[in-house]
């Protein structure tokens, strides 16, 4: 892999999980952003009206079998509104809780590098021009990183704070073929390498509970991910959403889903082997209540997160405890 694993434009961060003061036993995105900016920073989810090669026919039709009609942007702004209108509406809601916060403009829905460069420049620059915006987070696919877009992302990375979120979901090609991802694990590695050669932070998405995968398969994905040059991780539980091809399959022939206990233990196992400096962007996903078919226990997001905290405490463990490559600059205060 090209690049390096240091965060903050090459400055290695000294981490201190001070659990007695209420810190998590893992390195949250909130903690990272407070460390970097010295302030509360929110993500503002925007929908720029992009599509996906897995929907428009270039790779496939209809998207991945688990993907919602909004392309994972169910909680983003409305695409028919301008970037400015979306930003102001969401900012107003967030400011009810944090009046002095700053913001990351988050392009989440569909594939956000899958458009002509001029269009990408237009929407990204509009978002960066909004008051209080300190950077961008851009969700995309590893097969949608042409050279001219990579050059622009590199330039953005030199003048603002930037994450590129790269969907993987599983390292197992048989799984990716079954869910209709339209790319392989090798494609992911190539996309990751292109970004890291430009020193761009990468957050990788993984889904636990995909049909046909055992707990050993899922943990195998985690073990591989822990060895890659990624700076952030998003871990999701598989959601069966109404109106998706996966929902049709599930309703016709229900397949086993992870239990809450299985998921919590798998998450804790994963945290133990991830390097301590890897930023944890998410440990469970959100799904609109009206659209969720299964598992219904996933609606209790805070109950799940609290259960993860309790399990880590019960084990007497933390993120990175079993990581193969621990950094000397990382400290743990018990």
């Amino acid at each position: 892999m090209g690049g390096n694993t240091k965060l903050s434009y090459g400055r290695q961060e000294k981490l201190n999980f001070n659990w007695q003061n209420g810190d998590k036993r893992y390195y949250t995105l909130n903690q990272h952003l407070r460390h970097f900016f010295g302030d509360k920073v929110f993500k503002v989810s925007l929908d720029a009206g992009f599509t996906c090669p897995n929907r428009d026919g270039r790779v496939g039709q209809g998207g991945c079998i688990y993907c919602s009609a909004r392309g994972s942007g169910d909680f983003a702004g409305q695409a028919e509104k301008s970037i400015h209108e979306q930003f102001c509406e969401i900012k107003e809601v967030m400011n009810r809780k944090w009046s002095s916060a700053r913001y990351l403009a988050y392009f989440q829905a569909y594939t956000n590098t899958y458009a002509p460069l001029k269009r990408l420049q237009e929407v990204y620059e509009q978002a960066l021009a909004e008051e209080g915006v300190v950077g961008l987070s851009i969700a995309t696919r590893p097969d949608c990183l042409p050279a001219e877009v990579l050059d622009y992302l590199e330039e953005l990375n030199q003048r603002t704070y930037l994450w590129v979120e790269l969907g993987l979901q599983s390292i197992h090609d048989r799984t990716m073929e079954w869910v209709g991802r339209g790319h392989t694990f090798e494609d992911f590695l190539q996309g990751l390498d292109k970004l890291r050669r430009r020193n761009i932070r990468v957050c990788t998405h993984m889904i636990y509970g995909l049909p046909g995968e055992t707990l050993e398969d899922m943990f195998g994905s985690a073990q591989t991910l822990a060895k890659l040059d990624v700076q952030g991780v998003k871990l999701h539980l598989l959601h069966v959403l109404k109106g998706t091809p996966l929902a049709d399959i599930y309703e016709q022939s229900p397949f086993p889903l992870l239990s809450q206990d299985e998921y919590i233990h798998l998450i804790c196992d994963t945290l133990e082997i991830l390097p301590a400096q890897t930023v944890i962007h998410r440990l469970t996903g959100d799904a609109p209540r009206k659209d969720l078919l299964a598992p219904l226990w996933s609606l209790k997001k805070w109950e799940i997160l609290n259960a993860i905290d309790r399990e880590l405490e019960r084990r007497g463990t933390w993120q990175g405890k079993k990581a193969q490559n621990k950094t000397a600059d990382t400290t743990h205060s018990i």
Side-chain angles (χ1 to χ4, degrees), residues 73-173:
D74 299 279
F75 298 101
Q78 301 297 316
E80 61 269 18
K81 297 182 179 181
S82 70
I83 295 299
H84 176 70
E85 289 173 320
Q86 292 181 50
F87 179 82
C88 289
E89 289 179 0
I90 298 172
K91 175 183 175 181
E92 182 179 353
V93 173
M94 290 181 168
N95 280 354
R96 294 171 189 169
K97 184 175 182 181
W98 298 94
S99 59
S100 62
R102 290 187 281 178
Y103 312 95
L104 288 184
Y106 182 24
F107 291 93
Q108 180 181 20
Y110 303 102
T111 303
N112 292 278
T113 58
Y114 188 55
L117 178 61
K118 184 177 179 180
R119 174 60 178 160
L120 298 180
Q121 292 171 325
E122 177 185 332
V123 296
Y124 296 166
E125 300 299 339
Q126 285 176 5
L128 285 172
E130 294 291 338
E131 183 178 359
V133 170
V134 294
L136 299 173
S137 186
I138 300 168
T140 189
R141 291 165 55 96
D143 55 352
C144 292
L145 295 168
E148 62 179 5
V149 171
L150 285 164
D151 290 343
Y152 176 50
L153 291 175
E154 182 176 17
E155 188 265 325
L156 280 174
N157 190 53
Q158 292 170 354
R159 62 180 166 94
T160 193
Y161 176 89
L162 176 66
W163 281 96
V164 173
E165 298 190 5
L166 209 55
L168 174 59
Q169 321 313 351
S170 171
I171 68 164
H172 305 291
D173 284 343

Side-chain angles (χ1 to χ4, degrees), residues 118-265:
K118 184 177 179 180
R119 174 60 178 160
L120 298 180
Q121 292 171 325
E122 177 185 332
V123 296
Y124 296 166
E125 300 299 339
Q126 285 176 5
L128 285 172
E130 294 291 338
E131 183 178 359
V133 170
V134 294
L136 299 173
S137 186
I138 300 168
T140 189
R141 291 165 55 96
D143 55 352
C144 292
L145 295 168
E148 62 179 5
V149 171
L150 285 164
D151 290 343
Y152 176 50
L153 291 175
E154 182 176 17
E155 188 265 325
L156 280 174
N157 190 53
Q158 292 170 354
R159 62 180 166 94
T160 193
Y161 176 89
L162 176 66
W163 281 96
V164 173
E165 298 190 5
L166 209 55
L168 174 59
Q169 321 313 351
S170 171
I171 68 164
H172 305 291
D173 284 343
R174 67 181 189 279
T175 301
M176 297 222 275
E177 182 177 0
W178 192 87
V179 301
R181 279 294 295 173
H183 67 77
T184 64
F185 179 49
E186 179 58 33
D187 293 330
F188 169 84
L189 293 177
Q190 292 177 13
L192 172 62
D193 187 53
K194 292 174 183 177
L195 291 165
R196 293 303 297 140
R197 284 182 182 277
R198 291 164 170 81
N199 203 32
I200 295 170
R201 297 179 188 84
V202 176
C203 174
T204 300
H205 292 215
M206 295 283 291
I207 295 178
Y208 286 156
L210 291 167
E213 289 201 351
T214 64
L215 290 171
E216 290 74 19
D217 290 332
M218 299 172 212
F219 189 61
S221 288
Q223 289 174 310
T224 297
L225 183 61
K227 300 173 185 176
L228 297 179
D229 183 16
V230 299
Q231 292 62 57
V233 171
K234 266 192 175 181
L235 300 174
H236 300 258
L237 170 71
L238 177 69
H239 290 141
V240 182
L241 300 177
K242 297 174 184 177
T244 63
L246 186 64
D248 293 338
I249 295 170
Y250 184 75
E251 290 178 319
Q252 293 172 16
S253 181
F255 47 82
L257 297 168
L258 289 179
S259 69
Q260 183 170 327
D261 284 345
E262 286 175 325
Y263 185 73
I264 290 166
H265 282 80

Side-chain angles (χ1 to χ4, degrees), residues 24-28 204-209 215 218-220 222-223 225-226 233-238 258-275 280-285 297 301 303-313 315 317-322:
K24 297 288 188 181
R25 290 173 176 252
Y26 53 91
Y27 189 37
T28 67
T204 300
H205 292 215
M206 295 283 291
I207 295 178
Y208 286 156
L215 290 171
M218 299 172 212
F219 189 61
Q223 289 174 310
L225 183 61
V233 171
K234 266 192 175 181
L235 300 174
H236 300 258
L237 170 71
L238 177 69
L258 289 179
S259 69
Q260 183 170 327
D261 284 345
E262 286 175 325
Y263 185 73
I264 290 166
H265 282 80
L266 185 57
I267 289 293
C268 292
D269 291 344
T270 300
L271 289 173
E272 287 182 325
I273 65 170
L274 287 176
I280 307 301
H281 288 234
R282 179 173 290 179
L283 289 181
T284 184
W297 61 260
K301 178 178 179 179
E303 182 177 307
I304 298 166
L305 293 174
N306 289 337
I308 291 169
D309 291 341
R310 289 194 301 271
E311 176 61 16
L312 291 172
E313 183 177 3
R315 296 185 186 189
T317 194
W318 55 83
Q319 178 184 340
K321 183 178 182 181
K322 298 180 181 178

Side-chain angles (χ1 to χ4, degrees), residues 55 66-76 108-110:
R55 289 177 178 268
Y66 51 75
C67 196
S68 70
R70 291 204 61 193
S72 298
D74 299 279
F75 298 101
Q108 180 181 20
Y110 303 102

